[in-house]
Structure formats: structure tokens, C-alpha cells
Amino acid sequence: MYGIIATWRMALEGISEAETMLEHDASAADALETAIRAVEDFEYYKSVGYGGLPNEDEEVELDAAFMDGDTLSIGAVGAIKDFANPVSVARCLSKEPVNNFLVGAGAEKYAHKHGFERKNMLTDRARTHYHNRLVEENQKASQDRELKPYAGHDTVGMVALDQQGSMAAATSTSGLFMKKAGRLGDSPVIGSGLYVDSEVGGASATGLGEDLMKGCISYEIVRRMKEGMTPQEACESAVAELDEKLKKKRSKAGDLSLIAMNNKGEWGCATNIKGFSFAVATENLKPTVYLVQFDENGKQYFEEASEEWMDNYMKTRTAPLIWK
Ligand code: ASP
């Protein structure tokens, strides 16, 4: 059995490529890196890699992580600037004996030394988003003016299983739009943004990093799978519990969306928001995008994305942007 699951529709092209690789016996780690790089390279996805939205100072700071489920090796970069594929830097770091998690200038120095491609990651389109956002803020009455992190943030997080039974997980993101310089979310943090153990399975998160980290949620899901839960049971119970706890203790919960796969290729997903999508492919399932919907009792279910939804998705991503 082999398989790969990822947060958001944006992962579809990447996981399709990865699925073909897995079918031809590639390792989970290679397939996963290929899939995430495809998302990082696509300039119209404004929350990952090239074209990602900048921080408050108009600089694109990227976070990424990689974990090998066979060895539990970890590698991560935080707030790295001007490198094309943070996930590859993270994977390279996972092969180091120590110094596996580097941030800022240290991460850039490492990437430079190891010959990774340098690239200005701020696109004209992302600059337009930034400019328009400032204009919108300036139009507000001065008492309402507040440059807070904007909600349109999405991380690509993936878990893959290969035919040898090896697993890997990885994430990549530009984090919150208008974040403070140096801010790290959950995505590069092992246990929160991702976790994988080939003896059990893996999980990965997207949503509000500050809240996802409060539950070490990816590790928590793997722990539940180890105790015998299916990926679906583990995701649903962990997300519901963290959501409830945050509401009880802090009166509100940020966005929490999780995907998981176990070492049998079974998969699951849970979210506390409307409009979450994910992409999955296994030996028995062609690459498919599902939308998470809720019935009248609030119970979530998955619906395959329609052709119309898919067309509309790409149209809105690539629609011309006007400089206000
Ligand atoms: N979790 C990411 C962060 O907090 C953002 C996202 O997944 O939407 O940086």
C-alpha cells in the first residue's frame, strides 16, 4: 500500500506527481519533497513559497519542516528569506546529527553553504496584496486601524507512505500575512505542525499556529492512532477536544485543520472551520480533492470537489489584481 494526504486543494498537482512516484516505488520522503516543492514553486498560491504574502515589513519569511518516520529525523527552518524551496533545506537539515532547526540568518547561511537556489520570493502580486491591505487599513477610522495578521493563511502539510512501509511528513508556509518579523507559527515546530512515526502514522496541521501549538496537535493525533484509533477518529477527537478546551479557557479557538494517515494507508481529516479542503491519493484512490462539510447536527462529512468548484478555485487564484 502507498498513499499521500495533504492540506488544501493547492496540494493536488503536487500529490498527483507524488502518487506516480510512489506507484513506481519512490520513497515517501522523495515523493513528499517533490509534492511540496510543486506548491512552493506555483506563484499563485499566496501562502506558500514563491508568491507567499509578506510580513508587516513587506518581507517574505518562510517556515518549513521535514520529518522522516523511519528514523524520526527532523529538520526545520523558520523565517528564512530569499530561498526558493524551504522544504528542501529542511530535509537537508534532517540529515545533520545536530543543529536541525535553524532560523533567520542562520538558516540562510546554511542554505547558501549547501548550494540551495536563491530567489526573491516577493512577487508583484504579493506586493499588490500588501499595498491594498495598507490602503484598506488607512481608509478605516483611525480608532479601528490595526495591522493585525490577516486570516487568509494556509500551510501545505503532507504525510506520505511508500510501498516499503516508510513514512514521511513535511510542511511549508509563509505563515500569517502581516505577521511580525521573526514570528514562527506551528508549521516548522515538530509535534505541532507535523509528526510522523512509520510504526504508527503521521499528521499535519494548518490554521492558527498560536492555537495549534497549544495542543501539540500533530503529535497528539499520532499518539491516539498508536493507542488504536483510526486516523479519522484520532483527528476528530483531537480537534474537538482542543477546540473545546480553547473556548473554555480562552473564550475562543482559532482555525484548527488536521490531516492524518496511518501506516496502512488509511486516512482522516478534521477541522473546526468552514471551507477546508484537502487532497489525497492512495493505491486505491486517484488523486482527489475533498471539501469538508457539516450536516445540521454539526457532524462533518467529506464531499468530492465538483468540476465547477475546481474551475472556480483556479479562476479566483489567478484573477487579475488591481493596485488600489
Ligand atoms: N499554521 C500557519 C501559521 O500559523 C498558517 C496556516 O496554516 O494557515 O503560520
Side-chain angles (χ1 to χ4, degrees), residues 153-155 173 175-176 183 185-187 206-209 212:
H153 49 83
D154 302 333
T155 297
T173 189
L176 302 187
R183 179 255 183 201
D186 60 302
S187 309
T206 177
L208 183 65
L212 291 159

Side-chain angles (χ1 to χ4, degrees), residues 28-44:
D30 286 346
L32 195 76
E33 184 182 352
T34 302
I36 295 219
R37 285 175 67 109
V39 186
E40 289 178 336
D41 290 341
F42 190 63
E43 67 179 277
Y44 289 101

Side-chain angles (χ1 to χ4, degrees), residues 41-242:
D41 290 341
F42 190 63
E43 67 179 277
Y44 289 101
Y45 295 145
K46 61 184 195 304
S47 56
V48 177
Y50 187 58
L53 294 180
N55 66 14
E56 203 181 56
D57 306 328
E58 207 178 357
E59 296 203 88
V60 182
E61 291 190 332
L62 302 169
D63 302 334
F66 178 89
M67 184 165 185
D68 180 320
D70 285 354
T71 57
L72 306 184
S73 295
I74 53 164
V77 288
I80 189 171
K81 284 189 274 197
D82 300 329
F83 280 91
N85 295 108
V87 74
S88 297
V89 183
R91 186 176 178 195
C92 188
L93 278 164
S94 75
K95 294 174 183 149
E96 301 288 346
V98 285
N99 299 301
N100 302 112
F101 190 174
L102 298 180
V103 299
E108 286 150 21
K109 194 169 165 185
Y110 178 89
H112 175 67
K113 270 197 176 163
H114 285 77
F116 286 98
E117 184 193 344
R118 271 189 190 276
K119 188 167 174 179
N120 176 2
M121 302 298 271
L122 183 66
T123 59
D124 285 346
R125 197 174 171 86
R127 282 182 55 237
T128 307
H129 276 293
Y130 179 85
H131 164 83
N132 289 353
R133 171 75 181 177
L134 291 187
V135 171
E136 279 162 28
E137 284 303 317
N138 283 333
Q139 280 164 352
K140 288 185 183 164
S142 59
Q143 67 271 25
D144 299 334
R145 241 177 251 168
E146 191 191 0
L147 211 53
K148 46 178 190 217
Y150 156 76
H153 49 83
D154 302 333
T155 297
V156 67
M158 301 192 187
V159 178
L161 164 72
D162 67 29
Q163 296 196 45
Q164 309 306 316
S166 293
M167 297 192 78
T171 56
S172 186
T173 189
S174 51
L176 302 187
F177 180 27
M178 294 294 180
K179 64 190 179 183
K180 294 278 178 217
R183 179 255 183 201
L184 298 181
D186 60 302
S187 309
V189 178
I190 307 298
S192 286
L194 72 167
Y195 195 82
V196 65
D197 177 346
S198 303
E199 287 175 21
V200 183
S204 185
T206 177
L208 183 65
E210 285 74 0
D211 276 358
L212 291 159
M213 286 191 275
K214 292 182 177 88
C216 296
I217 186 124
S218 290
Y219 179 78
E220 179 60 23
I221 288 171
V222 176
R223 195 190 66 74
R224 285 170 196 232
M225 291 195 288
K226 189 173 172 189
E227 282 182 353
M229 286 190 189
T230 63
Q232 188 55 34
E233 288 164 351
C235 286
E236 272 188 51
S237 62
V239 168
E241 272 174 43
L242 181 57

